């Protein structure tokens, strides 16, 4: 299995530009997560999807951030307009949410996208 | 409000000795706990987990202990190897079909040869 695939690995953009990060989850997984990692806040959950439906977006910092999952094999995280404080590493993760208790929620992460907004 | 805390930002251990990484949590609803390892420029990778119905889980050199009354878990690595040098994250989930993971801030482990 190829694992979770994120693109691009690095993105450098100027303030005000639109940024789109992409993620391909592991085939067969039914949950997808977007995280942001910064020195100040560590690894924080932005949004997650179950069966392509957004379940919890309470971690999305503001309206400039949006995420979509049009099908089971693709998701995007968009920032428009981007600001310097958005500079961080963004991770995508996927998991197979089961029905047993306790649910063994093992999330598998991509390599991340390092975003720099100048 | 940090529900999962890793109070030691870093730990340095000699090769061959035991590494003990600690994690405390505040939410009594957490019922599944995981440890992830992260190398620079890579994503976190799953290491080992434990459910609340157990107090110990072993996988090779890695053992996780859970003390529910103290809301504390620890990861033991024996023997430690230089390749174990990485950032270790503790994570927890709650609920009947727990999905969200809450991560600690991480502990940097350095294993000296």
């Amino acid at each position: 299995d190829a694992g979770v695939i994120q693109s691009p690995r690095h993105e450098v953009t100027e303030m005000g530009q639109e940024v789109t990060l992409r993620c391909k989850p592991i085939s067969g997984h039914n949950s997808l997560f977007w995280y942001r990692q910064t020195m100040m806040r560590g690894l924080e959950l932005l949004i997650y999807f179950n069966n392509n439906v957004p379940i919890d977006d309470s971690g999305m910092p503001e309206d400039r951030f949006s995420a979509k999952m049009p099908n089971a094999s693709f998701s995007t995280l968009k920032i428009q307009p981007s600001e310097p404080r958005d500079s961080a590493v963004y991770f995508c993760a996927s998991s197979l949410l089961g029905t047993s208790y306790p649910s063994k929620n093992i999330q598998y992460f991509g390599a991340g996208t390092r975003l720099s907004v100048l | 409000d940090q529900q999962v805390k890793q109070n030691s930002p870093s730990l340095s251990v000699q090769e061959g000795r035991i590494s003990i990484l600690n994690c405390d949590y505040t939410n009594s609803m957490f019922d599944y706990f995981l440890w992830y390892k992260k190398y620079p420029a890579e994503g976190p990778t799953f290491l080992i987990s434990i459910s609340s119905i157990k107090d110990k889980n072993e996988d090779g050199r890695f053992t996780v202990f859970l003390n529910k009354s103290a809301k504390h878990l620890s990861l033991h690595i024996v023997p430690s190897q230089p390749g174990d040098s990485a950032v270790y994250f503790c994570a927890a989930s709650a609920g009947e079909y727990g999905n969200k993971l809450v991560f600690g801030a991480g502990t940097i482990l350095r294993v000296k040869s």
Side-chain angles (χ1 to χ4, degrees), chain A residues 14 22 28 33 35 40 45 70 76 81 95-98 106 111 115:
Chain A
E14 293 187 348
R22 297 172 177 78
F33 308 81
Y35 290 88
M40 291 298 294
L45 178 66
T76 59
S95 72
L96 179 60
L97 182 63
I106 299 173
L115 173 65

Side-chain angles (χ1 to χ4, degrees), chain A residues 44-66:
Chain A
E44 55 178 338
L45 178 66
L46 301 177
I47 184 172
Y48 80 89
F49 297 82
N50 278 356
N51 296 314
N52 313 337
V53 176
I55 302 302
D56 184 346
D57 64 354
S58 59
M60 296 286 261
E62 47 197 275
D63 292 344
R64 297 184 299 106
F65 286 70
S66 63

